[in-house]
Amino acid sequence: QVQLVESGGGLVQAGGSLRLSCAASGRTFSMYAMGWFRQAPGKEREFVAAVSGSGGVLSYANSVKGRFTIFRDNAKNTVYLQMNSLKPEDTAVYYCAQPDRRYYTPRSLFEYDYWGQGTQVTVSS
């Protein structure tokens, strides 16, 4: 059974940084892409970033490109989201997710089958 557990959220001032972590268990981590999504109050859940199983393919939403970095440590079964130059509009609950299909790095939330519980990120102005 796949389990995803996020950590690292919190309150930060605009311009600051946070690093989110997502620890995965239940199957061979390196075979599966990982994605980060976020959902702000009253808005739909949206794609933030994704990384392939090997870590060699990266994908970002335009709104975070150049500020956020996704990377993974397959030895630790963990994916990270380094968030720099944070803005108030980055405030949301952040979720990590994993698709059921191997060797595939999707951007659509509908192609992700397993989700963490979410971690709150609040950026004050």
Side-chain angles (χ1 to χ4, degrees):
Q1 182 178 355
V2 175
Q3 289 191 323
L4 304 175
V5 180
E6 302 101 335
S7 60
L11 173 65
V12 64
Q13 288 188 333
S17 298
L18 278 176
R19 178 178 291 185
L20 306 182
S21 301
C22 172
S25 61
R27 56 184 185 176
T28 305
F29 184 64
S30 61
M31 289 185 177
Y32 299 91
M34 294 295 296
W36 284 99
F37 293 79
R38 67 186 181 186
Q39 188 166 18
K43 295 189 176 181
E44 294 185 349
R45 192 169 299 189
E46 65 176 3
F47 171 77
V48 175
V51 59
S52 63
S54 67
V57 176
L58 306 175
S59 182
Y60 294 96
N62 288 337
S63 59
V64 306
K65 201 172 293 184
R67 300 188 299 121
F68 291 10
T69 302
I70 186 171
F71 61 101
R72 63 192 295 159
D73 184 339
N74 285 345
K76 295 182 178 180
N77 288 1
T78 301
V79 63
Y80 304 91
L81 186 68
Q82 177 67 42
M83 305 185 294
N84 299 330
S85 302
L86 283 160
K87 305 175 181 180
E89 51 264 43
D90 294 318
T91 295
V93 177
Y94 283 72
Y95 300 89
C96 66
Q98 187 180 80
D100 206 30
R101 181 176 168 183
R102 291 183 290 179
Y103 307 119
Y104 177 55
T105 310
R107 294 169 62 99
S108 169
L109 65 91
F110 299 107
E111 297 188 280
Y112 284 82
D113 301 278
Y114 302 98
W115 294 83
Q117 81 286 356
T119 185
Q120 176 70 46
V121 171
T122 303
V123 185
S124 63
S125 57

